[in-house]
């Protein structure tokens, strides 16, 4: 099936691309990894002004959503420009709170939609960590059928990507809601988190492929560009095919989410597998074809390289997603 964006959606993508291209995101990523969140927060404020965080918030709480297609469009751009911070987690927290409702939704959703507040999230079944808990206004935790606001960020743990800082939230805190609706809301939030991560992974892979194509046109061997070698062309073609196969799966999952399909979770899992694997394959191709220079942290390429594998595994490893697809 072929999915085409309409004119407004394409213009939205172009506007985000232009804004992020002018924002020096590599500097913001390096600062974020060093613990300086100011440049990243300034970038988030511009994204909020563009309406990115309102896409998952219902209109009754000050948002414009849920709009999964537009969310996919925006998160592909966020991945392409390696935007730091728990952008996925803020969106998933908005989905969680919107499904639970009540006082917590009224308090937090308008602030998340406007960018006034940011959030991280930990859900059962997705590991013990909350991403970048030290940089957000709230850390929401779901344990079984209980939703609580964690009292503190907890301790940090090492990550393959310095700009993805992992924290184990502290126990206790304020219970915001409890009961079966919390577990159902957590399942929906997990699906949206996997969906947004898939879009990020696709954008990351596209950026890596584009950088690699430009590099092989410039790097020479035997007095000719290495991009003229058949083996290099085949490697790049395989990488492109992986990304292009992932794209319709991503937008197919967006349609399933927008229609509330019973297979939405499985469609999201399929998109997550394809986009995550394609983005990681693009990273491996980029590393090999850049040669020794690809290993240097001073090269901006390293920011994308170090993000591809964590995105592949975040919010559903390839194995877990394949199991979800097979179970329907």
């Amino acid at each position: 099936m072929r999915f085409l964006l309409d004119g407004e959606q394409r213009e939205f993508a172009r506007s985000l691309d232009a804004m992020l291209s002018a924002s020096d995101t590599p500097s913001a990523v390096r600062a974020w990894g060093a613990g300086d969140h100011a440049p990243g927060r300034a970038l988030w404020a511009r994204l909020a002004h563009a309406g990115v965080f309102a896409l998952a918030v219902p209109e009754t709480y000050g948002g414009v959503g849920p709009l999964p297609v537009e969310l996919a469009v925006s998160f592909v751009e966020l991945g392409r420009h390696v935007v730091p911070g728990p952008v996925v987690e803020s969106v998933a927290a908005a989905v969680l709170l919107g499904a639970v409702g009540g006082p917590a939704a009224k308090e937090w959703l308008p602030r998340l939609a406007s960018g006034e507040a940011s959030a991280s999230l930990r859900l059962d079944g997705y590991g013990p960590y909350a991403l970048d808990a030290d940089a957000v206004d709230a850390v929401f935790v779901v344990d079984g059928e209980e939703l609580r606001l964690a009292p503190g960020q907890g301790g940090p743990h090492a990550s393959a990507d310095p700009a993805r800082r992992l924290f184990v939230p502290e126990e206790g805190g304020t219970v915001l809601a409890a009961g079966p609706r919390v577990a159902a809301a957590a399942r929906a939030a997990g699906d949206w988190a996997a969906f947004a991560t898939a879009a990020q992974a696709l954008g990351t892979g596209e950026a890596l492929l584009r950088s690699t194509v430009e590099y092989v046109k410039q790097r020479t061997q035997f007095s000719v560009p290495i991009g003229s070698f058949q083996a290099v062309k085949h490697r790049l073609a395989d990488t492109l095919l992986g990304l292009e196969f992932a794209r319709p799966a991503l937008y197919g999952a967006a349609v399933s989410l927008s229609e509330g399909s019973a297979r939405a979770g499985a469609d999201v899992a399929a998109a997550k597998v394809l986009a995550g694997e394609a983005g990681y394959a693009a990273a491996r191709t980029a590393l090999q074809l850049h040669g020794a220079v690809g290993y240097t942290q001073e090269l901006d390429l390293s920011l994308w390289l170090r993000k591809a594998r964590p995105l592949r595994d975040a919010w559903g490893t390839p194995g877990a997603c394949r199991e979800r697809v097979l179970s329907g």
Side-chain angles (χ1 to χ4, degrees):
M1 185 177 293
R2 188 180 183 193
F3 295 97
L4 294 176
L5 301 177
D6 63 28
E8 289 187 3
Q9 291 161 345
R10 291 194 297 271
E11 181 55 36
F12 182 44
R14 283 192 291 268
S15 67
L16 287 177
D17 179 48
M19 181 190 73
L20 292 170
S21 294
S23 297
D24 190 16
T25 52
S27 293
V29 175
R30 286 192 166 90
W32 193 277
D36 177 8
H37 301 129
R41 287 198 180 105
L43 183 58
W44 272 44
R46 291 192 286 275
L47 291 170
H49 183 72
V52 170
F53 299 115
L55 294 171
V57 177
E59 292 183 15
T60 52
Y61 294 104
V64 296
L67 295 174
V69 175
E70 286 75 9
L71 190 80
V73 168
S74 61
F75 272 74
V76 168
E77 294 301 325
L78 267 57
R80 188 177 289 140
H81 290 277
V82 73
V83 171
V87 285
V88 166
E89 288 69 21
S90 280
V91 164
V95 172
L96 174 71
L97 293 171
V100 170
K106 292 180 181 177
E107 176 183 359
W108 286 100
L109 284 179
R111 298 174 63 195
L112 290 174
S114 67
E116 178 188 344
S118 58
S120 192
L121 181 67
R122 191 194 77 189
L123 300 177
D124 274 346
Y126 292 98
Y129 303 116
L131 184 67
D132 293 315
D134 62 332
V136 297
D137 301 288
V139 177
F140 298 101
V141 176
V142 173
D143 289 316
E145 296 187 345
E146 182 180 272
L147 167 63
R148 60 184 174 87
L149 182 64
Q153 64 191 38
H157 291 256
S159 169
D161 178 5
R164 290 177 59 85
R165 299 157 61 84
L166 303 175
F167 290 81
V168 178
E170 294 179 2
E171 296 298 323
T174 304
V175 176
L176 302 177
R181 75 182 191 280
V182 171
R187 288 192 292 272
D191 286 344
W192 278 74
F195 173 68
T197 303
Q200 248 189 325
L202 178 61
T204 300
E206 290 178 349
L208 285 163
L209 178 59
R210 183 183 302 172
S211 296
T212 306
V213 169
E214 290 301 316
Y215 183 73
V216 299
K217 292 177 181 177
Q218 300 168 11
R219 180 183 171 189
T220 60
Q221 196 169 41
F222 308 115
S223 302
V224 296
I226 65 169
S228 65
F229 299 157
Q230 198 72 8
V232 171
K233 291 179 180 180
H234 285 170
R235 185 67 184 267
L236 293 171
D238 288 343
T239 302
L240 176 61
L241 282 174
L243 295 168
E244 289 304 313
F245 272 106
R247 191 186 317 281
L250 177 68
Y251 287 109
V255 172
S256 292
L257 285 172
S258 65
E259 294 176 346
S261 168
R263 281 198 54 83
D267 289 344
V268 166
K272 178 65 168 56
V273 169
L274 289 170
E277 295 283 28
Y280 182 51
R284 294 177 65 181
T285 296
L287 186 60
Q288 181 181 21
L289 296 184
H290 276 80
V293 71
Y295 287 90
T296 61
Q297 294 187 27
E298 292 77 14
L299 190 69
D300 284 348
L301 180 79
S302 66
L303 305 178
W304 281 263
L305 286 173
R306 300 187 74 165
K307 195 169 293 292
R309 182 161 185 172
L311 288 177
R312 185 193 70 169
D313 295 336
W315 294 106
T317 63
C321 288
R322 288 188 175 96
E323 184 177 348
R324 179 78 181 274
V325 172
L326 292 174
S327 64

